Amino acid sequence: MKIFLDTANLDQIKEAAKMGMLDGVTTNPTLVSKEKMGFEILIKEICRIVPGPVSVECVSDKAESIVKEARQHARIADNVAVKIPICVEGLKATKVLSEEGIDVNTTLVFSASQALMAAKAGTRYVSPFVGRLDDISHQGMDLVEDVLTIFDNYGLNTEVIVASIRHPLHFVEAALMGADIATVPFAVLEKLAKHPLTDIGIERFLKDWEKVKGK
Ligand code: G3P
């Protein structure tokens, strides 16, 4: 499973790259708004550091204006994938952009029908938001399972990005289901490497090593 970092923060992106855990990055307007740099300079810098795709979100609401905005985003760097919220206008824009060879990440996906329509429109990625479904008492990961089954049924090669991941279990379940990509916030990425028994084990080894050193 590829790991994308769900952030627009350069320090976090550099840190994940050092760990060898950076297959791509996903941003959204909320994440970008937390950073101090101007939008285009920030995206350019992220794209320079990240070896894989960097999702950049469109905020226009009509197909024509989404296409225009997406083309501008795509000009920033070769590895930009444009993020488009699923809706009728977004589907129309996705068809045009995918035919032009611009990669689209269809975002804010909360149902299997939305994912299937986006795939048929030619999107490269769909992003089901699991945490936000859990927030309203739905099983977010059930959606991922349904989407994977449907894409498999029809041999669709749209990649599934499990998004709105809130904790390590989302990540592990995504991998067990065979999701293509998990996009994780930096705080979750750090948790993925941790285990209390590992910490206890390290502490014990260090204590015993002190005894060896004294001999
Ligand atoms: O990739 C989508 C993600 O940024 C949304 O996460 O935690 O705001 O639901 P969250």
Side-chain angles (χ1 to χ4, degrees):
M1 184 168 67
K2 283 178 264 182
I3 300 179
F4 288 5
L5 203 62
D6 194 30
T7 187
N9 183 277
L10 290 173
D11 292 335
Q12 294 179 349
I13 291 169
K14 286 175 190 161
E15 199 59 20
K18 283 186 206 156
M19 288 185 226
M21 296 296 143
L22 191 68
D23 298 313
V25 158
T26 51
T27 69
N28 62 36
T30 306
L31 294 170
V32 168
S33 73
K34 292 180 185 162
E35 305 305 316
K36 296 218 163 62
M37 282 167 87
F39 173 71
E40 272 214 33
I41 302 176
L42 178 63
I43 298 298
K44 204 174 261 181
E45 185 57 9
I46 295 173
C47 289
R48 197 185 59 78
I49 302 167
V50 180
V54 175
S55 289
V56 183
E57 192 142 346
C58 296
V59 293
S60 307
D61 58 353
K62 293 277 176 271
E64 210 176 300
S65 45
I66 297 171
V67 168
K68 213 170 141 200
E69 190 187 351
R71 287 183 186 138
Q72 274 169 8
H73 290 341
R75 274 195 286 270
I76 298 176
D78 288 345
N79 52 340
V80 164
V82 295
K83 231 178 173 186
I84 300 178
I86 177 73
C87 58
V88 170
E89 293 300 305
L91 287 169
K92 292 182 202 164
T94 299
K95 183 174 175 343
V96 173
L97 293 163
S98 61
E99 283 169 2
E100 282 178 18
I102 294 177
D103 285 341
V104 177
N105 172 0
T106 303
T107 190
L108 289 168
V109 169
F110 292 100
S111 75
S113 57
Q114 290 178 322
L116 179 54
M117 290 178 92
K120 286 181 73 73
T123 198
R124 170 85 191 262
Y125 309 99
V126 288
S127 293
F129 274 36
V130 297
R132 292 193 195 183
L133 279 170
D134 290 356
D135 287 345
I136 57 158
S137 304
H138 285 255
Q139 294 285 357
M141 291 309 297
D142 285 357
L143 171 60
V144 174
E145 194 154 41
D146 288 350
V147 173
L148 288 168
T149 302
I150 291 169
F151 286 2
D152 190 48
N153 285 348
Y154 298 104
L156 297 168
N157 53 16
T158 299
E159 292 178 65
V160 176
I161 304 180
V162 181
S164 184
I165 282 184
R166 301 277 171 77
H167 50 70
L169 268 183
H170 279 147
F171 178 86
V172 173
E173 280 180 63
L176 285 169
M177 287 175 187
D180 304 278
I181 301 152
T183 188
V184 294
F186 188 74
V188 174
L189 185 72
E190 286 183 311
K191 283 184 194 160
L192 294 176
K194 282 208 153 268
H195 196 287
L197 289 178
T198 308
D199 295 341
I200 291 167
I202 290 172
E203 203 185 314
R204 200 174 293 163
F205 284 153
L206 286 178
K207 250 190 206 146
D208 290 340
W209 184 244
E210 284 303 312
K211 296 177 205 158
V212 177
K213 275 194 342 196
K215 284 186 183 161

